[in-house]
Amino acid sequence: MRLNPKMKVVIDTNVYIVAALDLAEGVNSAEVKTIKAAGKKFKVVICKEILEQIMRVAKRVGDKDLGSRIIAALWADTSPVFVEVYDEVVKAYEDKIPRKDLAIFAAGLIAKADYLVSVDREFLKSAKNAQNVFKCVTPEEFVEILKL
């Protein structure tokens, strides 16, 4: 599949972290394939909260510079679509989406994303049930859909 400049994908923080750790170990997982396709086969949607989560989680699971390396690669390799997450969108879904995932979900709505990719099945389930704007898939499902 060639780059579809109109296709926008929100990639959950956990996918970035798993991909970075797998890349370091030489594992070609679905998360790695998803991140490698970003910017080449689709546009990545990000928001301030995703960047903050990457920094926070990366510090916990990797070395102190892992988050910075992920974000630097994200900006350099994917030309992401940055969206501002508005409180009214977050508040409208706070009883439907886990709190930790609200901003990421809202970014998908605001950007009119085509896909939300996450390892968190509970997040995917609640996001799928709360809207009909984007498809909610695991990295494995996404790799299969895009034939990566």
Side-chain angles (χ1 to χ4, degrees):
M1 177 182 239
R2 297 181 66 100
L3 171 64
N4 178 349
K6 295 182 182 191
M7 185 166 58
K8 294 178 274 188
V9 179
V10 177
I11 300 175
D12 196 4
T13 304
N14 52 43
V15 177
Y16 290 109
I17 300 297
V18 171
L21 296 173
D22 284 353
L23 267 171
E25 293 182 11
V27 176
N28 194 26
S29 64
E31 292 81 2
V32 169
K33 290 176 183 175
T34 297
I35 298 304
K36 283 183 175 181
K40 296 174 186 74
K41 303 220 182 243
F42 55 87
K43 291 281 191 181
V44 176
V45 175
I46 62 168
C47 61
K48 178 182 81 147
E49 290 78 7
I50 289 174
L51 299 175
E52 289 172 351
Q53 282 186 18
I54 288 171
M55 291 301 290
R56 189 173 56 252
V57 175
K59 205 176 284 183
R60 234 182 18 242
V61 301
D63 62 61
K64 65 181 177 62
D65 297 324
L66 179 61
S68 298
R69 288 194 309 271
I70 293 170
I71 291 171
L74 178 63
W75 283 111
D77 299 340
T78 70
S79 302
V81 175
F82 187 86
V83 297
E84 185 72 33
V85 174
Y86 303 105
D87 288 341
E88 57 270 15
V89 177
V90 171
K91 286 181 180 155
Y93 290 91
E94 62 189 2
D95 60 336
K96 296 178 177 99
I97 304 296
R99 185 171 176 222
K100 68 180 179 51
D101 300 316
L102 264 169
I104 295 168
F105 174 81
L109 289 177
I110 293 164
K112 294 180 176 67
D114 297 286
Y115 287 94
L116 165 68
V117 181
S118 179
V119 174
D120 184 342
R121 291 184 185 275
E122 201 58 41
F123 176 30
L124 291 174
K125 182 179 176 185
S126 61
K128 180 182 179 185
N129 293 334
Q131 54 78 45
N132 60 4
V133 175
F134 50 82
K135 294 177 179 73
C136 303
V137 297
T138 64
E140 292 79 13
E141 293 165 333
F142 191 65
V143 164
E144 184 65 32
I145 291 164
L146 264 59
K147 310 253 185 276
L148 301 176

